[in-house]
Structure formats: C-alpha cells, structure tokens
Amino acid sequence: MRRTLFITLAFLFVCGLLSWSSASAKDRPGQTASGVAKTTISGDYQLMNVNRISTPIRNNGSFNRDPGTGNAGFEWPKGTGNTANYASGLWVGGKRGGVVRVAVAEYAYEYDAGPIINGQPADPANSRYRVYSIRRGDDRTNSVDYAAWPWEDGAPVVKAADGTDSLDDTGNRIPELIGDQTIWCVFNDADPAVHTNMNTPPLGIEVQLTAFAFNRGDALGDNIFYKWKFINKSGESIDSTYATIWTDIDLGDSGDDLDGCDTLRGIGYTYNDGVDGVYGAQTPATGFDFLQGPLVPGAPTDTARFPDGRIFPGMKLLKMTSFIKYNNDATPLGNPQNGQEVYFYQQGVDRNGAQILDNNGNPTKFMFPGDPNLPLSPTNWVEAAGTGGDRRFLMTAGPFTMADGDEQEIVGANFIAFGASPPQSVTALQNADAAIQTAYDLNFKL
C-alpha cells in the first residue's frame, strides 16, 4: 500500500512538472510564464468569445495567451479545447532624442494598466483601469461594465449626427458596441520599472485598445478585430516609429508549423507541415492583417480614406512593411535580446542589423512571400516541406513620426480558416481576408 501511494504521488508530481514545463518552455531564456489571477487589475483580462473563437485579451498589450496557466489561449473552434495560437502581443519601437526605445508584450510585458496622466503612469491597481466587455443586449441594468463604461478615459461611445456624444434617457453616454462583443482597455509603457524585458527607457505612449467581434456564419465569425490607438504623451517627438504585431503561433501541435506572408494583401500567417497532432489532416491556417496602418505623408496624388468617411489628401495609410520569421534560438534570426535587436527586426533586417536574403540571394524585408500550394523554387520562396517547427513572427508597419500629443490608430484582424489541405487552408485564409477587409472598408455596413 505504501509503495502504491508513493508511485501515485510520484506520478502526480511528474505530471505537474510536465504541465509546468509546457507552460514555461516557450519563454525565452531567463523568463518564466506569468500566471495572473482574474481578480487583479494590472494584467486583467476578458475573454472574447462571442463567435467561433475564444481568447483572452489583457490590459498589458498581451492577447491569445491564457493568463492563468501561461499556455495557449486562442481556442478554435470554441468549445473543442483545440488551440491555434500560443501568444500574441503589441510591440512599438521608436527613437526619442536619437535613443532607441521599445515596448513589447511577449512572454513578459512592458506595458501596465491605465492611461498616462500629467506625464505619469496612472495607478495600475485602480479598478477603473480593468478590462471592460459589453455584448449585444447589455444595458445599464444588466451589465456592470456597460454601466461603468469609462468614456472619460477614451472608451468609444455612440455619436450623434453632429459628432457629439449621444445620451440615453437618463443623460448617460451610450457605450459603442461594435459587432456582437466589444472589449476595451487602456495601458501605457511609461513606468521604467516594467521595462525589464528588452531593457530600454519608456517611449511614453498610451494605448487605447478596442477589440470587437461578430457572431456570423461567414469569415467574420472566425475573426477578431483589434484597434490600437496610440497617443504620444512623452513630452517629446518619437521619430522613426514602428508598430508590430508579434505572435508565437502554435497551430495545434507546435512542432510542425510553417510561416509565410502575402505581400499583396498584407497578411502574415502560419500553416501546417502535413498532418497535425491536434487538428489532423484538415489543419487550419491562421494569421493577421493590418486592415488600417499608420497615417503618413504621401505623394501629392495620394489620398488616405478612412471607413468612417474621413479623407486626408496628400496622405497615405501604410500596410505591412516587413515580415520576419524567427526561431527560438540564438542565431541572427533568433530571439531578440534587447531593444536594438527588436528595432532591427522592425526595420526588416536580422537582429544584428544585416539584410535578410531570399532564396536567390536578394535582399528582402519579407520572408517566405510565395504560394505554399506550389513547390519551393527560385521564383516561389516558401518554407520547404518537412522543415516545420516552433515558429514566431513579427509583422510591422512603419516608420512614422509622432510629435508630442500626436495620435495614430492601427487596426488589425486576427483570423483563421481551413481548406482541404494545409496549403489550401492558406488559400482559404486569403479569401477570408478579402471578405474581412471589405467589411472593414464598408464600415461594417454589410
């Protein structure tokens, strides 16, 4: 009996150790998974789960990672327990006074909850700066978040025809629900104490995030929209600024993934290298698109048009300007270790600053832009079949300049689709992107 008890306890210990290891193995050397209880404000989260995706969104720049376990959090289809993305986050890099500064949300986080007030970060423990979630059917009587909607901090509200805030019959502002679920939070990178990942001084930016999703039977039902509003509250200009969506996609089994990009559509994606251990033969492809990039000066013939009707002659909206796939190692295309290496990646070069060469030896800022439905060739640069592994990628838009007080608004789509084979899932993802981009451009007047 005593021997049986010992074996049982040993087995449970090993299982727990393996579980801990799986939560931590993804972290870069020197980092550990961050488990954050739901009751905290700094690192608070809400689940976006109104359609076929269920995933956590946090107020520290992180999304798609389970805050409690540190494991993959992007579940698709919802309710199956199958996950298609381990972790994603917002990265911003730029120069203040000629000094490179970055803020990253990776496996550790260089943002904290709340806005920047009078040049200082707000108290991240204040419950006002939690993550808010509202759904179709919510009102002041049945939703705490609806009733406490923090419009004073920038949370979107319904506008009247003259542009003023609409009021309900009690005189309160009406939260703007986009789609069937809207999540909002505010965070900033202004506290030097949280810049312990890439170890640069703060940029001094406030980020207001509005995430929303539609419960539909089409491509929008397999997508989440992310709208990041950046405000420079540093007191100085931030030059040569880049905004990056970083992701560590584990498409089911993490050991058989391949990455690629579509430079025409501006998509970065991950697909499977054959039959997957979780999703099987019909493995989806998943990734991101910059539906709306930074607003920058253009040629005199350029005109930037926003879905809400705003028009800016002589300006243009950037799309994806670089796509970098890197490995969990110390090679030139491995894990970035400091702010300068992050900034090199954002510029479309390796982490040492050297140009990346395609399979013909030509410099490029876009890795693997070919068609995975066609074999690797001098004219079709894709990752070779049989070389799949654990991938990370960064898709970036920039550069742009932000004077003190300037704002930029960037919109991304995080979507998933599947076809009859892994390469055909990429084709399905491209078709889904076309539908999602059209819906956005029409301001969802579908």
Side-chain angles (χ1 to χ4, degrees):
M1 178 68 178
R2 187 175 300 173
R3 174 179 170 80
T4 301
L5 178 61
F6 173 81
I7 293 173
T8 301
L9 291 174
F11 174 78
L12 292 173
F13 172 79
V14 171
C15 288
L17 184 62
L18 289 173
S19 175
W20 174 87
S21 176
S22 67
S24 306
K26 302 288 290 187
D27 301 331
R28 293 188 299 111
Q31 295 181 328
T32 58
S34 175
V36 180
K38 183 67 179 75
T39 54
T40 64
I41 301 305
S42 180
D44 185 38
Y45 73 97
Q46 291 275 5
L47 285 178
M48 178 70 81
N49 58 3
V50 76
N51 59 20
R52 289 183 291 273
I53 299 169
S54 176
T55 199
I57 297 173
R58 303 178 69 182
N59 58 358
N60 59 8
S62 173
F63 55 105
N64 291 337
R65 191 183 190 192
D66 187 314
T69 66
N71 293 328
F74 184 100
E75 183 186 19
W76 183 89
K78 180 179 64 180
T80 64
N82 297 338
T83 56
N85 191 315
Y86 175 75
S88 305
L90 174 69
W91 292 16
V92 181
K95 293 182 178 181
R96 277 180 52 190
V99 176
V100 170
R101 303 168 183 238
V102 302
V104 306
E106 187 201 30
Y107 310 111
Y109 314 104
E110 295 184 326
Y111 305 96
D112 214 342
I116 297 175
I117 302 174
N118 297 325
Q120 298 298 317
D123 179 5
N126 189 329
S127 62
R128 172 174 174 168
Y129 306 131
R130 67 184 187 273
V131 184
Y132 294 77
S133 175
I134 58 174
R135 295 171 178 262
R136 190 164 301 281
D138 284 354
D139 59 33
R140 300 184 66 83
T141 67
N142 62 15
S143 168
V144 172
D145 285 352
Y146 187 103
W149 194 246
W151 60 269
E152 303 97 329
D153 298 321
V157 296
V158 174
K159 297 292 185 179
D162 62 359
T164 60
D165 294 349
S166 293
L167 303 178
D168 62 19
D169 54 7
T170 63
N172 292 294
R173 285 167 175 79
I174 305 170
E176 183 181 22
L177 175 72
I178 311 174
D180 295 289
Q181 183 183 4
T182 297
I183 287 177
W184 188 88
C185 61
V186 58
F187 49 91
N188 71 86
D189 88 310
D191 185 355
V194 301
H195 278 261
T196 58
N197 191 348
M198 299 302 168
N199 297 300
T200 72
L203 283 157
I205 60 168
E206 176 179 310
V207 183
Q208 298 175 9
L209 169 61
T210 304
F212 53 97
F214 293 79
N215 183 17
R216 290 171 58 99
D218 56 15
L220 270 67
D222 296 310
N223 172 67
I224 299 172
F225 294 90
Y226 289 88
K227 180 185 292 186
W228 294 280
K229 180 179 180 180
F230 307 110
I231 308 173
N232 178 8
K233 293 189 175 181
S234 68
E236 301 176 7
S237 178
I238 305 176
D239 302 312
S240 304
T241 312
Y242 294 87
T244 296
I245 297 174
W246 167 87
T247 192
D248 178 353
I249 291 176
D250 290 351
L251 196 51
D253 182 356
S254 65
D256 56 1
D257 294 341
L258 300 170
D259 282 346
C261 70
D262 183 326
T263 56
L264 178 63
R265 296 175 175 86
I267 309 172
Y269 58 81
T270 298
Y271 61 107
N272 205 254
D273 191 4
V275 176
D276 182 70
V278 174
Y279 284 103
Q282 199 173 46
T283 306
T286 186
F288 296 87
D289 182 10
F290 283 119
L291 302 175
Q292 176 187 302
L295 180 68
V296 299
T301 55
D302 286 331
T303 299
R305 301 178 185 275
F306 287 79
D308 60 9
R310 289 175 295 160
I311 299 175
F312 294 86
M315 305 290 283
K316 64 180 181 180
L317 292 167
L318 295 178
K319 292 286 283 184
M320 180 174 67
T321 54
S322 68
F323 175 85
I324 305 294
K325 186 270 307 190
Y326 71 90
N327 302 310
N328 186 20
D329 58 30
T331 64
L333 284 171
N335 294 307
Q337 298 296 315
N338 55 57
Q340 182 60 68
E341 293 183 2
V342 167
Y343 196 60
F344 278 145
Y345 271 155
Q346 292 182 310
Q347 295 174 83
V349 296
D350 74 18
R351 67 191 185 99
N352 297 325
Q355 288 184 318
I356 295 169
L357 304 180
D358 65 15
N359 58 334
N360 290 316
N362 299 313
T364 183
K365 294 184 178 182
F366 299 94
M367 298 179 66
F368 311 118
D371 183 350
N373 289 282
L374 302 174
L376 172 66
S377 72
T379 58
N380 189 58
W381 188 29
V382 295
E383 289 204 88
T387 63
D390 189 6
R391 302 291 194 252
R392 296 117 169 89
F393 72 68
L394 307 95
M395 50 186 296
T396 298
F400 53 95
T401 297
M402 298 184 71
D404 182 41
D406 273 1
E407 300 178 359
Q408 283 280 2
E409 192 173 81
I410 293 170
V411 181
N414 185 187
F415 55 112
I416 188 167
F418 70 94
S421 68
Q424 290 176 25
S425 290
V426 174
T427 302
L429 194 76
Q430 293 166 328
N431 293 335
D433 177 71
I436 292 166
Q437 182 74 63
T438 298
Y440 181 74
D441 293 341
L442 292 173
N443 205 22
F444 307 112
K445 296 180 175 65
L446 304 177

